[in-house]
Amino acid sequence: MAALRGTLHVATLAAGTRRALGSLAGSCLADRCLWDKLHAQPLLGSVPTFDWFFGYEEAQGLLLPLLQGARAACPLRVLDVGCGTSSLCTGLYTKCPHPVDVLGLDFSPVAVAHMNRLLEGGQGQTPLNPGHPTSRLHFMQADVKNLEPVAASGSFQLVLDKGTWDAVARGGLPGAYQLLSECLRVLSPQGTLIQFSDEDPDVRLPCLEQGSQGWTVTVQELGPFRGITYFAYLVQGSQ
């Protein structure tokens, strides 16, 4: 149930979305139809994104030093697996002072269409502007357990997973390990994979250590945000 414990910005959601969230406890979070239904619900007010756990603002203190230290590649390639309609990709693109090439992947075509409209300024919105002139942002529909069609081995310096392991694991740990394997395959040997979660380290760390042999696995606390402590699980190659 780890993926359900994170605090959601429920006040910004339409009533239909709140009802959909209320039904998640009895659902399989690895089911694409569930996410299509959730992402199809309109957001209220001026907030165009929806974040599990927390958004870019809370994560930037961890992300920006990592990007600063990995500037041998220019622009830095960042992959967000299971991006949904989160502010993580858009925040990196619009606020990171370093040049980044960000790719957000999700298996929900509804989520991908929403984020592309946000990026391009659809429905009367202003297009997003990059924080660095050479930064880029793309969204694609893909199965994050099989990244072969969209990503070559070792092609990203930073891979982000915010709640995606949690959701995939609800369909069984083999799927979560497959997700981890693909993330590590596309990660450069000197790169970093970050899993953001509220799952306790005594549960997550043994899984990551088993599935990331040859990589260094560490954990950092984040928050508390709105009264909840989260964790950033870092899987890193040689620095």
Side-chain angles (χ1 to χ4, degrees), residues 141-165:
Q141 182 186 0
D143 178 359
V144 296
K145 294 182 293 182
N146 178 21
L147 299 175
E148 288 279 359
V150 297
S153 297
S155 55
F156 291 91
Q157 285 72 50
L158 179 62
V159 177
L160 304 175
D161 169 343
K162 184 158 71 75
T164 303
W165 166 289

Side-chain angles (χ1 to χ4, degrees), residues 154-228:
S155 55
F156 291 91
Q157 285 72 50
L158 179 62
V159 177
L160 304 175
D161 169 343
K162 184 158 71 75
T164 303
W165 166 289
D166 303 77
V168 172
R170 289 288 296 276
L173 276 178
Y177 279 118
Q178 188 176 353
L179 164 67
L180 174 62
S181 176
E182 278 295 272
C183 288
L184 294 178
R185 181 185 65 79
V186 303
L187 188 64
S188 72
Q190 296 78 36
T192 300
L193 162 66
I194 306 178
Q195 289 187 352
F196 295 107
S197 179
D198 60 356
E199 186 169 62
D200 294 337
D202 59 348
V203 177
R204 181 64 59 90
L205 281 176
C207 293
L208 291 180
E209 290 167 351
Q210 178 180 335
S212 307
Q213 295 183 17
W215 299 78
T216 301
V217 182
T218 58
V219 60
Q220 297 184 27
E221 282 193 9
L222 295 177
F225 304 131
R226 294 170 294 278
I228 297 179

Side-chain angles (χ1 to χ4, degrees), residues 31-213:
D31 180 4
R32 196 190 82 181
C33 293
L34 176 76
W35 293 105
D36 285 345
K37 180 179 178 181
L38 175 64
H39 292 309
Q41 299 294 330
L43 298 173
L44 294 181
S46 60
V47 180
T49 55
F50 170 79
D51 281 294
W52 292 98
F53 304 153
F54 50 81
Y56 172 77
E57 296 295 334
E58 292 86 354
Q60 64 179 333
L62 173 64
L63 297 178
L64 292 181
L66 282 173
L67 292 170
Q68 173 68 30
R71 293 183 64 186
C74 188
L76 296 162
R77 298 201 69 202
V78 181
L79 176 65
D80 183 3
V81 293
C83 64
T85 57
S86 166
S87 65
L88 207 54
C89 286
T90 56
L92 278 170
Y93 175 66
T94 60
K95 298 178 180 179
C96 180
H98 314 301
V100 289
D101 184 357
V102 183
L103 175 60
L105 299 179
D106 201 276
F107 70 170
S108 168
V110 180
V112 171
H114 174 87
M115 296 309 287
N116 277 322
R117 286 194 301 269
L118 178 62
L119 173 62
E120 298 163 4
Q123 297 181 337
Q125 295 180 333
T126 303
L128 299 182
N129 293 315
H132 188 279
T134 63
S135 289
R136 297 188 293 269
L137 174 59
H138 312 273
F139 293 99
M140 293 179 59
Q141 182 186 0
D143 178 359
V144 296
K145 294 182 293 182
N146 178 21
L147 299 175
E148 288 279 359
V150 297
S153 297
S155 55
F156 291 91
Q157 285 72 50
L158 179 62
V159 177
L160 304 175
D161 169 343
K162 184 158 71 75
T164 303
W165 166 289
D166 303 77
V168 172
R170 289 288 296 276
L173 276 178
Y177 279 118
Q178 188 176 353
L179 164 67
L180 174 62
S181 176
E182 278 295 272
C183 288
L184 294 178
R185 181 185 65 79
V186 303
L187 188 64
S188 72
Q190 296 78 36
T192 300
L193 162 66
I194 306 178
Q195 289 187 352
F196 295 107
S197 179
D198 60 356
E199 186 169 62
D200 294 337
D202 59 348
V203 177
R204 181 64 59 90
L205 281 176
C207 293
L208 291 180
E209 290 167 351
Q210 178 180 335
S212 307
Q213 295 183 17

